[in-house]
Amino acid sequence: MPIVVNLDVMMAKRRVSSGELASKIGLSQANLSILKTGKARAVRFSTLDAICEALECQPGDILEYNSTNKGAD
């Protein structure tokens, strides 16, 4: 998939653990893990909004388009 999720990078920059972020945004750790590993097929704007607010970042800091990843599902 050409969309790369850099959530783990942003969390490391902000020194926020998975448990802490999951608690702040009201998401289970399991669902956050699915999102972090790029296995999620969709993300709600409300979830993206909550993540950006909690990490004080922009959606582009978390999601990246990489055309060289096309077909690599």
Side-chain angles (χ1 to χ4, degrees):
M1 165 138 343
I3 302 296
V4 178
V5 180
N6 294 315
L7 181 56
D8 54 345
V9 173
M10 204 66 222
M11 289 172 59
K13 285 182 180 179
R14 299 294 193 249
R15 297 181 184 175
V16 174
S17 70
S18 291
E20 185 180 351
L21 182 60
S23 176
K24 281 184 177 181
I25 65 174
L27 201 62
S28 71
Q29 284 189 327
N31 284 337
L32 183 61
S33 177
I34 290 168
L35 186 57
K36 273 180 36 178
T37 58
K39 294 181 181 177
R41 296 315 235 163
V43 61
R44 292 182 177 174
F45 282 136
S46 59
T47 301
L48 187 57
D49 176 49
I51 291 170
C52 289
E53 184 175 340
L55 296 178
E56 297 179 356
C57 66
Q58 295 294 314
D61 296 327
I62 298 168
L63 302 174
E64 172 186 348
Y65 177 77
N66 185 341
S67 63
T68 60
N69 281 351
K70 274 190 176 181
D73 235 18

